[in-house]
Amino acid sequence: MDLHPNLTPVAELVGTWRGPGRGEYPTIEPFEYTEELTFTNVGKPFLVYLQRTWSPAGAPMHMESGFLRVPSPDVVEFTIAQPTGQSELAEGRITGSGADFTLNLRSQILNSGTAKHVEETERNYRRSGDTITVDFSMAAVGEPMTHHLSSTLRRT
Ligand code: HEM
């Protein structure tokens, strides 16, 4: 299926990526996980996104899903649904091209009535060589913008 021309700047995301991650936050104990990302071309001007993570023992951890749009060549919009009661609207810029580019996104969050409160997030996806490196920070539960997650993923 042809990729919609809007998605040319992020064509090198399409596929399934897997690798190790590490998490931290001032209010919790550090932890490790395995992450899998898929970006799927459905022939429309967006990619379908699914993320799943597992503990070192193989138990399911966080997962999230969404849609990634590129409305103009250096602009990226990423709508993400969280199972923890947040919906995340991430917007930002694409710098670089081909298989060597970075998405820098900052998000507005809607929290459900019972969710742990997340004020704002920053996401960085670095596509380089044969990897995607993901970094995630958040202002949440009363803490200022602080690093929560890092992972490095390779195509499966
Ligand atoms: C790779 C994906 C992720 C993993 C593996 C992960 C893992 C964890 C773990 C193990 C904890 C501590 C235990 C707990 O409260 O459940 C935690 C806490 C938390 N995470 Fe994440 N998380 C991920 C993504 C996210 C995302 C995308 C958000 C926000 C949209 C988020 C927001 C939070 C919050 C608000 C807490 C609570 C901190 C507290 O209670 O002090 N996490 N996460």
Side-chain angles (χ1 to χ4, degrees), residues 2-155:
D2 287 346
L3 193 67
H4 190 283
N6 282 23
L7 297 173
T8 302
V10 294
E12 279 286 335
L13 292 181
V14 174
T16 301
W17 304 81
R18 194 176 171 97
R22 195 178 176 286
E24 61 192 347
Y25 208 64
T27 53
I28 61 174
E29 289 298 314
F31 56 91
E32 294 186 350
Y33 57 93
T34 297
E35 179 169 30
E36 189 174 284
L37 297 188
T38 59
F39 290 96
T40 306
N41 172 29
V42 291
K44 296 286 289 177
F46 54 80
L47 297 177
V48 177
Y49 164 77
L50 180 65
Q51 181 243 35
R52 298 175 69 193
T53 60
W54 296 267
S55 74
M61 291 179 75
H62 183 83
M63 63 186 294
E64 59 188 37
S65 65
F67 302 96
L68 189 144
R69 306 179 341 119
V70 181
S72 63
D74 61 347
V75 173
V76 59
E77 296 179 356
F78 202 4
T79 54
I80 303 168
Q82 303 291 353
T84 42
Q86 292 87 14
S87 61
E88 204 175 331
L89 171 56
E91 297 180 87
R93 295 271 160 191
I94 307 172
T95 49
S97 61
D100 190 358
F101 61 90
T102 303
L103 312 182
N104 285 299
L105 301 142
R106 184 172 269 259
S107 307
Q108 305 174 55
I109 309 288
L110 277 178
N111 293 276
S112 71
T114 61
K116 289 203 174 176
H117 197 81
V118 181
E119 301 243 339
E120 211 179 356
T121 71
E122 286 178 3
R123 289 175 178 255
N124 183 286
Y125 296 85
R126 173 97 177 92
R127 176 72 186 88
S128 178
D130 62 350
T131 64
I132 297 177
T133 306
V134 185
D135 272 289
F136 176 91
S137 298
M138 62 183 175
V141 295
E143 299 292 326
M145 186 63 74
T146 306
H147 190 258
H148 186 37
L149 308 162
S150 291
S151 57
T152 301
L153 316 172
R154 291 193 154 71
R155 278 191 196 283

